[in-house]
Amino acid sequence: MATSGTTAFDMNFTEVAEEAWERAGREMRSGYDLRTARRSMNLLTIEWQNRGINMWTIDSGTVSLTTGTSQYTLPADTIDILEQAIRTNAGVTATQSDVSISRISVSTYSSIPNKLTQGKPIQIWVERLQAAPRINVWPVPDSNDYTLVYWRMRRVEDAGAGIQTHDMNFRFYPCLVAGLAYQIALKVPELEGRLPLLKAEYEAQFLLASGEDREKASIRFVPRFSRI
């Protein structure tokens, strides 16, 4: 028998909500049912971001550093920085160079005696503020030739209108539907009896999706020995 020949299956927001309501034990019948499902979905994706790294939300960015300026604000949808480096001679093919810099804690940054020391930045402290994260580099740049290159985890985009699809990898669709069904059942007293089953299915689907959505590069640990 012939197969479809396509691999483009997708679900818009309305279809996800309908599937979730049916799994919870009811049909979606009103505009309010759709609206409350959208609200629950947005809370659900925030929960995923609290659970750990979602690989499809990782992207890179740059900040041009300015002489004498130590603080810079990142895009508002940034959750956290994962890696960072200082680039010199940006855009010059023969001489562009990236050097990794270390991330430090607030206690380490506060213990620096002279925070106005200028030079090539080697450390960064990230303030995870409510409006947008802010970074502090040290030493303070002594030149305009430095560029901070970073890799960040951004927020998942909000659930949109009924015909829009979702800001996530297709592998998370089963987890999305299962989690939304559980969240919906939490709000309907008559569906309380289905909560254990829906919760177990949600956790199983999240485990499958997050287990696939991970870094697969090899890694090697080398112990460091020192003499006292």
Side-chain angles (χ1 to χ4, degrees), residues 16-35:
V16 170
E18 288 174 343
E19 179 70 14
W21 271 103
E22 289 169 2
R23 289 196 187 189
R26 284 191 174 182
E27 291 185 2
M28 186 176 70
R29 296 180 177 275
S30 68
Y32 179 77
D33 289 345
L34 185 64
R35 187 165 67 250

Side-chain angles (χ1 to χ4, degrees), residues 41-42 45-46 49 56-57 77 154-160 164-168:
M41 183 184 295
N42 285 324
T45 56
I46 292 173
Q49 291 161 103
W56 76 88
T57 65
D77 64 342
R154 64 167 177 81
R155 289 187 60 171
V156 176
E157 294 180 10
D158 302 334
Q164 292 178 332
T165 54
H166 317 285
D167 177 27
M168 65 188 63

